[in-house]
Amino acid sequence: MSVRELRLVVTAEDYEEALRFYRDVLGLPELADFSSPDGRVRLLDAGRATLEIIDSRQAEFIDRVEVGRRVAGPIRVAFEVADSAGTAAELAGAGAEVIAPPTRTPWNSLNARLRAPAGLQLTLFEELGD
């Protein structure tokens, strides 16, 4: 058995706002439109996907580093970007709520935390290298 794709499915009360934010502002290219009379669905390409499993102590540590306190629920979406500060500012201008500005982490990345449409909490991370 092998998994061929990780697909994060987001149910958005304001579908148009969520689609605009993730496709048009964050820049996730549209791969397919599977909409029908039964409902709307668009598949967006978010690049390579990984599933990161952490325990509650690590989740608390990450929140403390990025935000200063525990704020995330059981699911947080992380996007690697070239410029976390610039991307965070652009997303904030498009309606995301900044929870914490870009912060240098002990694992040498620059991470910003936002609350985006459809209630998703996002980490934008920029790898800083050695």
Side-chain angles (χ1 to χ4, degrees):
M1 176 189 332
S2 67
V3 173
R4 295 175 45 171
E5 178 182 355
L6 170 64
R7 189 172 292 186
L8 178 65
V9 180
V10 177
T11 302
E13 291 299 317
D14 188 339
Y15 175 85
E16 292 299 330
E17 171 62 12
L19 181 61
R20 181 195 69 79
F21 183 86
Y22 293 103
R23 183 190 61 197
D24 304 336
V25 179
L26 188 55
L28 302 181
E30 188 170 318
L31 292 175
D33 181 348
F34 297 121
S35 299
S36 73
D38 295 319
R40 295 175 292 173
V41 58
R42 300 279 177 77
L43 186 61
L44 305 178
D45 184 0
R48 185 180 66 102
T50 59
L51 180 61
E52 183 174 334
I53 307 293
I54 60 176
D55 66 15
S56 58
R57 287 185 11 224
Q58 181 66 21
E60 185 174 331
F61 175 67
I62 291 168
D63 277 4
R64 201 169 54 246
V65 167
E66 292 183 6
V67 182
R69 66 189 189 291
R70 184 76 173 115
V71 295
I75 295 179
R76 175 177 48 84
V77 179
F79 291 108
E80 182 178 1
V81 297
D83 175 9
S84 59
T87 303
E90 188 173 344
L91 296 184
E97 172 193 348
V98 175
I99 298 171
T103 303
R104 189 178 192 115
T105 68
W107 42 93
N108 205 27
S109 61
L110 191 61
N111 295 17
R113 186 76 68 91
L114 299 98
R115 184 169 293 107
L120 287 180
Q121 206 169 107
L122 307 180
T123 292
L124 302 175
F125 68 98
E126 174 185 346
E127 296 294 357
L128 299 175
D130 294 330

